[in-house]
Amino acid sequence: MASQPATAQSYSQYATDTSQVFSLVEQMPTLPVGGGNLALVKAVQKQVQLPVEVREGRVEGRVYVRVVIGVSGVGRQAAVAQSLSPACDAAALAAVKRMPRLLPGRYNGQPVATLLTVPVMFLSPHHVFAVGEVARPAQFPGGDAALEQYLQKNKATPAEVKLRDLKGRVSVRFVLKPDGRVGACEILNSLCASCDDEALRLVRGFPRWQPALGYDDQPVAMYHVLNVWFSPPPPPAGTAPPVAENQVYAQVEQMPVLPGRSGPTAVQSAVQELIQYPEHTASGEGQLSFVVEPDGRVTRPNMRKSISGAMDEAVMAAALRLPRFEPGRHNGQPVAVLLLVPVVIDIR
C-alpha cells in the first residue's frame, strides 16, 4: 500500500518528537515489559530475516544501527553506523524499524528523544557461538558446583603425573550442541599425553548440558573451554619422601645433554621448537628452569623470569615435552640436575 503524504500536523509532531536528541540519559529507552538492553536486543533480533548469503554461511557478523527513540517512544531516523554487506544492512534497518514502540528515555524525570545504537547479528544456522555471542551460556546440569564435583569424582590421575611430578592444567575447548550434547573437542593447553587423554575422556563423558540460547531465545551450538587440573597425589601419612631425587645439583662434571643435540644453545633451541604459542602472544624474554632427573626425565618446570601468564604456561608445557636427556653425572653416578634456560619470544 502506498504511504499517505505527510500533513503539516505530522511534520510538526515529528519535529517535536525529536527536537532535542540526547545520547546519554539517566533512564534509557526500554520495552514496555522491561528487561533492559538485553530484552531490546532480543526484540530486534527476532525481527531479523536472514539474507541468503548468511543462511549459506558466506557472510557473518554484526551490523550496528543508530536510531533515535522519540519522546513518543517511536524509532526514527534509523541509519547504519557499521556496515556488514548491503543485504545485511538492509535487513538490519528493516528489523530495527519493526521493533515495538518503546518507553522513551528520561532526563531529569522528563521524556526526551534518545539516540540508541543497536547491534544486529547475522549468523548462519551452522554457526558455533562464543560465550559473548549468546543471550544465555550453556550450563552443566546443577551448575558450576556440580561440574566441579563431577570432575573430582570421575577424574583419574595418570601415573605420569606422579612419575614426572607434574602440576598444571589441561585446557579443552569443545562444542556444546543445541541439544546439550558434547561435540568436537580439542586441546588448547597440553600438560602431558596421558593428562590430555584423561581430560578428553572426562569431557566426552559429560551428561547433556542445558544448551546455550541465542538472542532469539532458541538453542544454539556454543564453544566452551574447561580447565582440568592435575597434581601428584600426596604421599600416604607417615611416608618419608624418596631420598634418591632429594638432592638437586646445579653443576656437575657431566651435565645433562639431549640425544643428537650439542652446543651451548641446544636445550634452548629444543624448548623454543616445542612451544605452542597462545593467542595474543607478545614479544618478551624469560628464564625457564627445570630438573633433569637421574633417569633423564624432565620434571618441576618453573619460570624464574616471567614473560606473561599464558606464555609462561606454554613454555613450561614445552619443557615437559622434551625427550629424555642423557642424565647428569656426579662422581660417575646419575643425579638430578637443575637447568636454567633463557627463552626469547620475538613476534614480528
Side-chain angles (χ1 to χ4, degrees):
M1 182 195 307
S3 60
Q4 296 295 321
T7 63
Q9 183 178 1
S10 65
Y11 279 126
S12 175
Q13 181 181 3
Y14 174 89
T16 302
D17 201 28
T18 60
S19 57
Q20 185 177 5
V21 179
F22 292 76
S23 58
L24 184 62
V25 293
E26 62 252 23
Q27 184 177 324
M28 297 295 285
T30 61
L31 292 169
V33 295
N37 188 59
L38 178 59
L40 178 58
V41 171
K42 284 183 176 182
V44 173
Q45 201 67 41
K46 289 177 181 178
Q47 300 294 330
V48 173
Q49 297 180 359
L50 294 180
V52 173
E53 62 187 12
V54 177
R55 295 198 301 271
E56 294 179 349
R58 291 183 284 114
V59 175
E60 287 193 329
R62 284 184 175 90
V63 176
Y64 289 87
V65 176
R66 286 200 183 105
V67 60
V68 175
I69 306 301
V71 175
S72 66
V74 174
R76 306 183 189 277
Q77 304 175 30
V80 172
Q82 181 173 311
S83 174
L84 181 59
S85 74
C88 291
D89 294 352
L93 286 171
V96 169
K97 290 174 181 177
R98 284 195 294 267
M99 70 180 177
R101 182 187 291 249
L102 306 180
L103 297 178
R106 288 184 173 270
Y107 181 70
N108 289 336
Q110 299 300 313
V112 294
T114 310
L115 180 65
L116 286 184
T117 300
V118 182
V120 185
M121 287 192 296
F122 291 89
L123 302 171
S124 79
H126 304 294
H127 181 83
V128 179
F129 289 70
V131 173
E133 295 177 333
V134 297
R136 189 195 72 190
Q139 187 175 52
F140 188 82
D144 292 343
L147 173 59
E148 185 60 30
Q149 290 173 3
Y150 174 92
L151 294 175
Q152 293 303 321
K153 179 181 178 180
N154 294 280
K155 181 177 67 177
T157 301
E160 189 175 359
V161 172
K162 182 178 180 180
L163 185 66
R164 300 178 66 184
D165 193 28
L166 299 179
K167 296 180 183 179
R169 64 180 170 90
V170 176
S171 296
V172 184
R173 184 170 77 161
F174 55 98
V175 175
L176 287 164
K177 299 178 180 180
D179 61 4
R181 292 181 300 160
V182 172
C185 307
E186 64 175 333
I187 299 294
L188 295 183
N189 184 76
S190 173
L191 184 60
C192 68
S194 56
C195 300
D196 297 350
D197 290 342
E198 175 60 12
L200 288 171
R201 183 192 69 80
L202 285 168
V203 169
R204 288 168 178 156
F206 278 150
R208 291 197 182 196
W209 291 47
Q210 185 178 9
L213 295 181
Y215 283 97
D216 57 359
D217 288 328
Q218 296 301 307
V220 295
M222 189 194 88
Y223 284 115
H224 190 84
V225 176
L226 178 74
N227 292 320
V228 182
W229 294 87
F230 293 93
S231 61
T239 303
V243 177
E245 296 184 357
N246 266 359
Q247 184 169 4
V248 179
Y249 293 80
Q251 191 70 35
V252 291
E253 61 259 25
Q254 183 179 325
M255 294 294 286
V257 294
L258 282 170
R261 289 181 179 259
S262 61
T265 63
V267 176
Q268 180 184 359
S269 299
V271 170
Q272 304 250 174
E273 291 169 8
L274 292 170
I275 295 173
Q276 297 176 356
Y277 290 88
E279 294 182 7
H280 312 300
T281 300
S283 298
E285 297 184 8
Q287 186 183 55
L288 166 72
S289 71
F290 57 83
V291 174
V292 177
E293 302 290 353
D295 60 1
R297 293 176 294 117
V298 170
T299 65
R300 292 172 265 182
N302 183 47
M303 291 300 289
R304 296 294 184 93
K305 179 183 177 184
S306 175
I307 301 173
S308 70
M311 197 67 241
D312 291 353
E313 289 191 359
V315 172
M316 290 187 288
L320 293 173
R321 288 193 288 272
L322 287 167
R324 289 206 178 200
F325 282 69
E326 295 176 10
R329 292 182 177 271
H330 180 64
N331 293 332
Q333 299 299 313
V335 293
V337 180
L338 178 70
L339 294 186
L340 301 179
V341 182
V343 180
V344 179
I345 306 301
D346 187 6
I347 306 298
R348 295 182 182 178

